[in-house]
Amino acid sequence: MTGISDLSQLLKDISPTLDVTPYVFCTVQKSLAECVIFNPIATFMEREGLTLVVTKQIADEHGLDYSCVMNKITLKVHSSLEAVGLTAAFSNALKNVDISANVIAGFYHDHIFVPVNDAKRAVHAIQTLAK
């Protein structure tokens, strides 16, 4: 199943959905296999260590360090991994209202992590792209 690559169609159907679960980004010096107990929703191996995206509750329970608590906004539109301009469009919309964002693209959807206190404003800013 191929995702949508036409930017105007992507923006029309963007449908941002807020997940109010508090998430955090952590880094650990462990193998991915050792981190299954943290139930990460995303991982990324970097030279400095393994980045995990986990719930704040899990991080607190296991003593994992983090710096920022975030909520996840999922764009419900099925975007192609080869689509051009979608990330720039929502990044600019968030920049215009002074909201930082960390983006993870899954196979079907883009997921944008924003600070908890800015989450509702971020959804609104992204929704304006559909107009």
Side-chain angles (χ1 to χ4, degrees):
M1 177 177 208
T2 305
I4 299 167
S5 59
D6 177 67
L7 182 58
S8 61
Q9 186 66 44
L10 286 166
L11 295 177
K12 180 180 164 216
D13 298 337
I14 200 163
S15 300
T17 303
L18 179 62
D19 175 355
V20 297
T21 304
Y23 290 102
V24 297
F25 285 64
C26 305
T27 186
V28 295
Q29 299 298 317
K30 297 178 184 285
S31 71
L32 183 56
E34 293 173 289
C35 294
V36 172
I37 63 167
F38 303 133
N39 198 23
I41 64 166
T43 64
F44 196 89
M45 181 57 74
E46 298 181 283
R47 182 181 63 222
E48 298 85 356
L50 178 63
T51 296
L52 306 172
V53 181
V54 298
T55 64
K56 179 183 180 301
Q57 179 180 345
I58 291 287
D60 289 343
E61 287 173 1
H62 292 275
L64 300 174
D65 290 332
Y66 55 87
S67 62
C68 181
V69 181
M70 308 184 112
N71 287 143
K72 178 179 65 157
I73 300 169
T74 297
L75 305 182
K76 291 299 203 173
V77 64
H78 179 188
S79 57
S80 167
L81 290 170
E82 297 175 342
V84 175
L86 180 60
T87 303
F90 66 72
S91 293
N92 279 326
L94 295 174
K95 175 188 69 85
N96 290 339
V97 292
D98 200 31
I99 297 175
S100 67
N102 291 282
V103 182
I104 297 176
F107 186 84
Y108 293 101
H109 307 286
D110 289 278
H111 308 277
I112 308 158
F113 292 84
V114 298
V116 167
N117 293 336
D118 295 326
K120 289 181 182 175
R121 285 189 320 114
V123 170
H124 178 72
I126 295 167
Q127 284 174 331
T128 63
L129 295 171
K131 297 177 178 158

